[in-house]
Amino acid sequence: METQIVNATEYLNVTLALLSESKTNPRRTFEEVSLKELASSIRTQGVLSPLLVRPLTENGFEIIAGARRYRAAQMAEVPTVPVRIVHLSDAAALEAQLVENLVRSEIHPMEEAQGFRALLDLEDPKYSIEQIAAKVGKSPVFVASRLKLSDLVPAAVDAFYADEIGVGHALLLAKLPADQQEAALSACFKEVYNGGSKPARILLPVRNLQFWIDSNILLVLKDAPFNKRDAPLVPTAGSCADCPKRTGHNKLLFGDDLGRQGDRCTDPNCYAAKVSAHVAQTIAAKPELVQISSAYGAQREGSTVLPRNKYTAIRDDKPKSKDDAKRPEFKVCKFTTEAIITEGGDVGSIHKVCANPSCPVHHPKQPTSRNDEKWKAEQDKQRKEQAIASATGLRVLAAVPVRLLKRDLLFILEKLVSIMDENRVEMLARQHGIRQKRDDGGIGKTLTAFVRRADEGTLSRLMVEASILLASLRGNPATILKEAATAYKVDTEAIAAKVKQEFAVKDKAKKAAQPEAKVAKKAA
């Protein structure tokens, strides 16, 4: 006998045919094994907890809470189930569904997010994040994070439901613009070859994804060369101050990051467009600006931008020693002028440079007496001493034991490399077996690519090596190396003796080869 719809709130047993699942129920996934276990329990003990339902305008009831019990009852083929009938508005029903699912068996975070979103989108009554948090007994930060999951692109949603990524990965991905999420999703994994025809895909820890995002997507706005409040700079983008893609725009989501990193842009494409517009605007206003490149390697053919070896950048800071004061980059000449970086790192920033090749201060002439034997001998001696010192330095660096955590290593290392001169960049690259590729952007680009693929131990070593090389700019390189060697208990004297011995063997072999070459030449 069919149970008729009643007007009063009460408990009844109703047939399954009178029940229908709610379209607004946030729960969308039901584990098959768990349902079968519940169905087995229902066959022996029945449904112990009534389903929460509300009357429909037609004959029947809508399930507010209890869809899992309803499905298990269908599997168990029981004739009726107990229900509690309540009269709820759409908003109240949705709220009840969300709360009911949160206090029962764990709901998937995506379903939780969709439930929160449905509440937030209601026209009447209107909910705020704080009100939803109070209703479900969670913090506003938790609700805001779950709401952000509804911004995941389909590929990320599918990976999340398939348990290919965890909730930590999903939350980081959801904070990014849609056009950046798929690239970041790929960064969640690494491929490992185990002898099979195809590589195995391994999920990396959340911290690895955060590190990749920090290195490849997020940009510190305080370092931007353009005016962040200049809305007309790129009209379609508007002002950074009003941009929702700025981390500071949503303090509930990025509160912890704001304290450590400051306000950051999550849209590198928009950032790049503003940098380009700023460069064009600046050059139009000051056509006399010299355009320079901070990148390493060969320039594009026909480029009007000056490469690194065609100018000397004048440093703004004061020299810290008398030796520093003698260096060209601390001196100002009559040819000093303003320049704007249009290629490489720090594009859009203004610097003082000397680009005059005849400047006696920054481009001193080389000695003209190149045929002078004494001068040549002195040059050979200096080159040999420098080669021995460099080889000894590299051996000392290689002997330094490095064990650091991989956190901000990549960020720090890229900053260190960006302020190193070309000789030290080459020295650092050679230390790790990297040779210059002239057709692929030069040694700087090759080193950067190597760094981004490096493991934690290699990054740690690179950072220490780069720090020592940079420190040698401000003082005696031999002293810096000695201090590093003392700190890490490296025997520099033994290394230096071995290097000198190797060079002596090479010199002896070279001298022995010279008479043989002369004899062969005469015989010919």
Side-chain angles (χ1 to χ4, degrees):
M1 183 175 90
E2 288 191 354
T3 304
Q4 300 297 315
I5 300 175
V6 295
N7 293 324
T9 300
E10 57 182 304
Y11 291 89
L12 292 175
N13 282 330
V14 301
T15 61
L16 295 177
L18 287 175
L19 300 175
S20 59
E21 292 192 45
S22 172
K23 294 180 180 179
T24 58
N25 184 8
R27 185 181 290 276
R28 289 287 181 267
T29 57
F30 298 86
E31 188 180 4
E32 189 70 16
V33 174
S34 178
L35 277 178
K36 288 180 179 179
E37 291 174 352
L38 182 57
S40 177
S41 173
I42 289 174
R43 288 190 191 99
T44 57
Q45 302 183 42
V47 178
L48 300 179
S49 179
L51 284 66
L52 186 67
V53 302
R54 65 171 177 167
L56 295 173
T57 53
E58 300 175 357
N59 195 34
F61 300 93
E62 178 188 23
I63 300 172
I64 302 302
R68 184 169 171 271
R69 282 164 281 161
Y70 167 69
R71 292 191 180 200
Q74 287 179 315
M75 294 174 69
E77 298 180 342
V78 296
T80 62
V81 293
V83 299
R84 179 188 171 207
I85 305 169
V86 292
H87 296 271
L88 298 173
S89 65
D90 290 344
L94 182 60
E95 181 182 308
Q97 287 171 336
L98 187 59
V99 174
E100 175 77 9
N101 277 296
L102 281 172
V103 298
R104 290 188 179 272
S105 60
E106 187 178 351
I107 186 174
H108 193 281
M110 274 306 306
E111 297 170 342
E112 206 171 28
Q114 290 157 359
F116 288 146
R117 175 61 62 189
L119 275 177
L120 198 65
D121 290 344
L122 284 175
E123 292 295 332
D124 185 27
K126 271 289 186 186
Y127 286 94
S128 66
I129 289 177
E130 288 73 18
Q131 288 171 327
I132 294 174
K135 288 283 185 184
V136 299
K138 302 288 183 179
S139 70
V141 172
F142 177 88
V143 175
S145 297
R146 286 296 189 266
L147 280 167
K148 196 63 182 168
L149 289 176
S150 60
D151 292 334
L152 283 172
V153 296
V157 172
D158 293 343
F160 195 16
Y161 270 128
D163 289 331
E164 293 176 1
I165 60 173
V167 64
H169 300 89
L171 287 172
L172 287 179
L173 294 173
K175 293 179 182 181
L176 303 176
D179 59 348
Q180 303 292 336
Q181 286 187 31
E182 291 205 21
L185 178 60
S186 298
C188 292
F189 308 93
K190 72 173 181 179
E191 293 184 342
V192 177
Y193 285 89
N194 295 320
S197 58
K198 292 184 178 180
R201 195 169 70 155
I202 297 176
L203 179 64
L204 296 170
V206 174
R207 65 177 181 272
N208 287 58
L209 176 59
Q210 181 66 71
F211 187 74
W212 185 90
I213 291 172
D214 288 342
S215 305
N216 294 275
I217 295 180
L218 298 184
L219 296 153
V220 180
L221 281 171
K222 69 178 181 181
D223 296 335
F226 52 83
N227 181 358
K228 275 74 74 178
R229 296 186 177 275
D230 186 0
L233 182 63
V234 178
T236 55
S239 167
C240 294
D242 303 322
C243 181
K245 291 180 284 188
R246 174 176 57 85
T247 59
H249 189 270
N250 196 333
K251 294 182 180 179
L252 283 177
L253 280 177
F254 297 98
D256 294 339
D257 292 339
L258 291 173
R260 295 193 301 266
Q261 306 288 349
D263 206 357
R264 294 189 288 175
C265 172
T266 65
D267 189 345
N269 293 329
C270 180
Y271 186 96
K274 288 195 172 187
V275 170
S276 296
H278 166 74
V279 169
Q281 191 180 80
T282 305
I283 293 175
K286 293 183 176 181
E288 70 277 7
L289 279 175
V290 176
Q291 297 182 43
I292 60 174
S293 170
S294 60
Y296 291 95
Q299 289 292 100
R300 297 192 310 272
E301 189 174 348
S303 174
T304 58
V305 180
L306 291 182
R308 293 179 68 97
N309 61 348
K310 296 296 183 182
Y311 67 88
T312 300
I314 312 300
R315 295 177 56 162
D316 294 326
D317 55 323
K318 293 182 179 180
K320 295 182 179 180
S321 66
K322 291 183 179 179
D323 288 337
D324 281 352
K326 297 176 182 179
R327 300 178 66 86
E329 60 264 32
F330 285 104
K331 298 178 180 180
V332 177
C333 67
K334 63 180 180 179
F335 303 110
T336 299
T337 185
E338 284 191 329
I340 184 170
I341 297 179
T342 56
E343 291 179 6
D346 298 325
V347 171
S349 56
I350 303 294
H351 300 268
K352 290 180 180 179
V353 302
C354 171
N356 192 318
S358 61
C359 174
V361 176
H362 298 103
H363 302 279
K365 292 182 178 180
Q366 297 296 325
T368 56
S369 56
R370 291 189 177 272
N371 294 324
D372 183 76
E373 291 298 327
K374 184 178 180 181
W375 180 85
K376 288 178 67 177
E378 183 63 29
Q379 291 295 305
D380 289 340
K381 181 182 177 182
Q382 290 180 8
R383 278 194 293 268
K384 183 177 179 180
E385 290 176 352
Q386 186 176 6
I388 292 174
S390 296
T392 302
L394 290 174
R395 298 281 181 88
V396 171
L397 289 176
V400 172
V402 180
R403 296 291 185 272
L404 297 177
L405 294 176
K406 182 180 180 181
R407 296 188 180 182
D408 297 325
L409 289 177
L410 180 58
F411 172 78
I412 297 171
L413 186 57
E414 287 183 341
K415 293 298 181 185
L416 290 175
V417 172
S418 69
I419 59 175
M420 293 171 67
D421 58 49
E422 193 165 0
N423 289 335
R424 282 171 173 78
V425 170
E426 289 181 356
M427 186 181 295
L428 186 62
R430 286 199 306 271
Q431 175 71 359
H432 293 268
I434 301 169
R435 302 299 175 186
Q436 186 167 7
K437 297 181 179 179
R438 298 186 181 276
D439 58 343
D440 193 26
I443 194 71
K445 184 176 179 180
T446 307
L447 178 61
T448 299
F450 171 79
V451 165
R452 289 181 176 175
R453 295 193 306 269
D455 58 24
E456 183 176 318
T458 304
L459 285 173
S460 301
R461 178 172 295 283
L462 278 162
M463 193 177 76
V464 173
E465 292 169 348
S467 300
I468 294 173
L469 288 171
L470 279 172
S472 67
L473 284 169
R474 302 296 182 89
N476 189 315
T479 303
I480 301 297
L481 279 172
K482 186 176 180 180
E483 291 173 355
T486 301
Y488 290 101
K489 297 181 174 59
V490 176
D491 190 347
T492 54
E493 292 184 1
I495 292 174
K498 187 174 181 180
V499 171
K500 288 180 180 178
Q501 184 180 6
E502 290 174 1
F503 271 80
V505 171
K506 289 180 181 179
D507 285 345
K508 186 176 180 180
K510 186 177 179 181
K511 290 177 181 178
Q514 286 177 351
E516 293 179 5
K518 290 180 180 178
V519 170
K521 188 175 180 181
K522 289 180 179 179

